[in-house]
Amino acid sequence: MTEHPLLDLAGASIGYDREPVLRQADLAIRRGEFWGILGYNGSGKTTLVKTLLGLLPCLKGRRKGRPLRCGYVPQKEKLDPIYPLTVSAVVAMGAWRGLDPFGLRSTDRLPSLVSRALEEAGALELADAPFSSLSGGQRQRVLVARGLVGEPELLVLDEPLAGIDIATQESLLALFRTFKERGLTALMVSHRVSAEKGLFTHVAWLEAGMIESGPAERMFSEGRVSQVFKAEL
Amino acid sequence: MSPSLLLEVLRPDFLLRNALYGCMTVGLVCPLVGVYFLLRRMVFWGVALPQVSAAGLSLAFLLQGLGVGWLAGTEPGERHLAIMGSAALTAAAILALVLLERRKAGFGEGRLGALYAASAGLCLLFVSWNPHGETAMLGLLKGEIVAISGHDLGILCGAFAVVAACFLAFQREFLLVSFDRDTAEILGRKVLLWEGLLYALIGVTVSLGVMTAGPLVIFGFLVLPAMAALPWARGIMSLSLLASLTGGASAFIGFLLSYAFDLPLGPVAVCLAAASLGLSSLLRLALHRR
C-alpha cells in the first residue's frame, strides 16, 4: 500500500494577491523523500514552499496535508545581525512552538536539545558566540541547527549554499547527505542544479510559471531540468 | 549638587514629585519600546510618530479652544479629548505606515520624512490658530513635564505599567516575529496578532508619552537609551533592562540637574540620554583598542 503524502498539491495555482506565479502545480511529498525545488531566480520557488507549508493559500486547486512539525532554515541574509543574540539563543528559537509567552513550558530539556542540534550541525563550539560575529558558513550551520532543534518531521532549507565558499558548501552537503541517509524528509530550495544533484531523491523544476516534478534520476536524464543540468556542467 | 538636594527631591511631600515620577516613568518605559524601533530598523518611526501624536494633541486642543467637542468645558474632559486626539492620529499613522510597508509601496524613509514634516507643520499651525492655551501647548511641545497633575500621572503610570508588563511577558513573541517572521509563522505564531499588539503598544506609549512629556523627550527616550545599551547586551532581556535603566537614570539625573540649575527638564533629560550614548560609544572604542 502506498503511504499517504505528508503534503500534497493537486492542480494548484499559487501566487500572491490573486496573481499566479505557478499554474497547475502537482506535487506529493512522502516521508523520507529529499526534494530539490530548483529553478532560476524569480521562478516561484519560495512561493511554492510557502504554499506547501500552508503559509500561503492556493489561488486554485487544493493543498492537502496535516499540520507538520517543520524545521525552517531561511536564507542567512534574511536575518539582521543587529540583534544581540548568542548562537544558543538563536538555535533555541527553533523549539518555541505554540503560545508560551511566559516560558512556562520551557523545560530543562531545551539546553540539551540545543547542544545536540549544534553538535549535529557541527557548530557546538560556537554555542556562546554572538550570532552577529559568525562567518556566512558558520551562520548557515547555526541556522541548520535551529531547524533541527524542534525534532522536525520536515526540514525546509532555503538556498542554504548561497554565498558560501566551496569548502563550506562541501561540508554542508555532506551534512545534508547524513539527513538523507537517516530518512529525514526535507525540501531544499536552490537556483543551481549541478552541485546538489546526488542529494535529491526527487526534484521539482520551476520555469515560466509551470512545474515539472518527479524522481531525481528521471528528472536529471530527461525533460527540461536535464538540459539545464547539462548546460551547467 | 549636594546630598541635601537628593534628600529634598526624594521626600514624599516634595512639591514637584509628580514631575519626577512622570519623567522617571517615561525614562524607564519608552526604551523598552525603543529597543524594537532599533532592532526592526524603525528609528525614523521614532521621529515621525511623536510628531504625529503632537499634531493630534494640538488639533484636539484647537477644537476645544474653538468650542467644538462634547467634552469641551471641563478640565478632565479636555484632557481626555486631547489623549483621544493624540491616540487616534497616532493609530491612524501607524496603520497607514504598516499597510503601505506591507504593500511595499513607495519609498519608506521618504514617506516617514514627509509624515514628520507635515505633522510638524500642522502641529504649529494648530497651536497658532488656538485662541486659548498657546503658551501651555508650546511648553508641552518643548518637553515641559513640570505641570503634570496627579490624575494624569495616574493614567500614565497605569498605562505604562501595562506596556512594560506586555513587553517583558511577550518578549519571545515580539523577538521571533521581529527577527524571523517566516520562522515565526512556521512555528505556529499568529504573526499579524503579535505585530498588531506590538504596534498597539507603540501607539499607546507614543501618544500618552507625548501628552505628558512632548515629542522631543519621547523621541529621545525611544532611541538613545536603546542605542547606548545595544553594544553591551547579550540578549533581548539584557538589552531591554539595560536600555530601561539608562533611560531611568537619564531621567532622574536630568531632573536633579534641571531642579538644581533651573533648566527645562525635557531637554536636559534628552541631553543626558545622548551623553550616555556618547559614553557607551567611547567605552566601546577604548575596549576595542586594547
Side-chain angles (χ1 to χ4, degrees):
Chain A
M1 198 176 73
T2 317
E3 195 189 350
H4 281 296
L6 288 176
L7 293 171
D8 189 7
L9 278 185
S13 276
I14 63 177
Y16 300 92
D17 298 331
R18 297 183 195 160
E19 281 292 318
V21 176
L22 289 171
R23 290 184 175 82
Q24 284 299 313
D26 293 304
L27 203 68
I29 294 166
R30 291 183 168 76
R31 194 177 298 279
E33 292 177 346
F34 202 122
W35 276 81
I37 310 288
L38 309 177
Y40 299 120
N41 287 336
S43 58
K45 301 184 292 291
T46 303
T47 313
L48 174 64
V49 170
K50 283 191 169 180
T51 309
L52 279 168
L53 295 177
L55 303 181
L56 278 177
C58 293
L59 302 176
K60 252 191 214 170
R62 64 173 173 76
R63 172 198 172 272
K64 278 205 312 193
R66 65 180 172 80
L68 291 173
R69 216 170 44 243
C70 285
Y72 179 61
V73 181
Q75 293 176 33
K76 62 185 186 311
E77 291 78 15
K78 283 191 177 171
L79 303 183
D80 193 335
I82 194 176
Y83 286 75
L85 297 167
T86 61
V87 162
S88 295
V90 171
V91 174
M93 277 181 200
W96 292 354
R97 283 182 194 284
L99 178 69
D100 183 20
F102 299 97
L104 296 177
R105 285 202 307 267
S106 353
T107 60
D108 297 340
R109 264 187 83 208
L110 190 57
S112 65
L113 284 175
V114 168
S115 298
R116 201 175 71 188
L118 278 168
E119 192 169 11
E120 203 172 343
L124 187 57
E125 74 282 2
L126 302 172
D128 296 323
F131 183 68
S132 57
S133 69
L134 305 184
S135 69
Q138 289 173 326
R139 215 170 274 187
Q140 201 60 63
R141 280 182 184 280
V142 170
L143 294 177
V144 170
R146 192 183 67 164
L148 294 171
V149 74
E151 300 172 330
E153 295 168 276
L154 173 70
L155 183 67
V156 179
L157 303 150
D158 192 356
E159 301 268 10
L161 305 180
I164 289 176
D165 63 82
I166 302 285
T168 312
Q169 281 185 18
E170 285 305 320
S171 68
L172 279 170
L173 279 171
L175 175 66
F176 299 155
R177 268 182 224 112
T178 66
F179 298 163
K180 182 184 171 185
E181 281 158 17
R182 70 172 211 230
L184 178 64
T185 314
L187 288 178
M188 181 164 144
V189 176
S190 178
H191 64 277
R192 300 173 325 155
V193 175
S194 53
E196 303 95 343
K197 186 201 164 216
L199 185 63
F200 307 129
T201 61
H202 292 74
V203 165
W205 174 255
L206 280 59
E207 192 175 348
M210 301 304 285
I211 180 167
E212 209 183 299
S213 65
E217 209 172 309
R218 176 169 68 75
M219 291 290 288
F220 283 117
S221 62
E222 60 189 68
R224 177 72 185 123
V225 72
S226 67
Q227 295 166 25
V228 178
F229 174 52
K230 281 169 196 154
E232 269 196 20
L233 285 181
Chain B
M1 277 190 299
S2 61
S4 62
L5 173 74
L6 192 63
L7 290 175
E8 182 190 347
V9 162
L10 291 176
R11 269 196 352 240
D13 60 344
F14 175 56
L15 186 65
L16 298 176
R17 62 187 180 281
N18 285 352
L20 173 63
Y21 301 153
C23 191
M24 290 284 292
T25 306
V26 166
L28 286 167
V29 177
C30 280
L32 295 176
V33 184
V35 160
Y36 289 90
F37 274 66
L38 192 65
L39 296 180
R40 293 171 70 107
R41 299 193 185 261
M42 291 165 53
V43 167
F44 287 121
W45 284 53
V47 188
L49 287 181
Q51 200 56 55
V52 170
S53 180
L57 200 61
S58 50
L59 175 64
F61 276 125
L62 170 66
L63 293 176
Q64 285 165 11
L66 296 173
V68 181
W70 71 99
L71 286 169
T74 63
E75 198 182 324
E78 285 174 359
R79 302 293 286 184
H80 290 150
L81 189 59
I83 290 174
M84 279 161 59
S86 169
L89 221 59
T90 310
I94 290 175
L95 201 62
L97 288 171
V98 170
L99 286 176
L100 287 169
E101 203 157 275
R102 284 181 72 82
R103 286 184 178 187
K104 297 184 168 47
F107 170 45
E109 284 179 12
R111 201 160 41 228
L112 286 167
L115 185 65
Y116 172 81
S119 310
L122 282 173
C123 185
L124 291 174
L125 275 180
F126 294 150
V127 170
S128 68
W129 288 337
N130 193 343
H132 307 288
E134 184 177 324
T135 314
M137 196 56 216
L138 282 175
L140 183 63
L141 296 178
K142 277 190 266 175
E144 269 312 336
I145 317 169
V146 174
I148 187 171
S149 68
H151 178 257
D152 288 347
L153 181 67
I155 292 176
L156 180 79
C157 289
F160 274 29
V162 172
V163 168
C166 285
F167 271 102
L168 296 176
F170 302 133
Q171 202 172 62
R172 270 188 181 189
E173 330 299 317
F174 292 148
L175 170 62
L176 194 57
V177 299
S178 303
F179 181 63
D180 189 353
R181 203 172 196 275
D182 288 342
T183 297
E185 272 191 89
I186 287 167
L187 290 174
R189 293 300 196 281
K190 305 277 183 214
V191 172
L192 279 182
L193 175 92
W194 290 110
E195 289 202 323
L197 179 61
L198 180 62
Y199 288 126
L201 292 172
I202 288 172
V204 168
T205 308
V206 169
S207 50
L208 265 180
V210 167
M211 177 85 192
T212 312
L216 167 73
V217 176
I218 296 307
F219 171 55
F221 279 124
L222 281 173
V223 175
L224 297 169
M227 283 179 74
L230 187 61
W232 312 103
R234 291 275 289 170
I236 295 297
M237 181 59 96
S238 68
L239 176 60
S240 300
L241 293 179
L242 263 176
S244 180
L245 285 174
T246 307
S250 303
F252 184 68
I253 300 169
F255 185 89
L256 290 181
L257 288 174
S258 159
Y259 184 65
F261 300 105
D262 194 23
L263 295 167
L265 172 54
V268 172
V270 171
C271 286
L272 275 174
S276 72
L277 171 60
L279 193 66
S280 162
S281 306
L282 283 175
L283 206 56
R284 197 169 159 228
L285 199 69
L287 286 175
H288 267 273
R289 282 198 175 164
R290 270 192 181 183

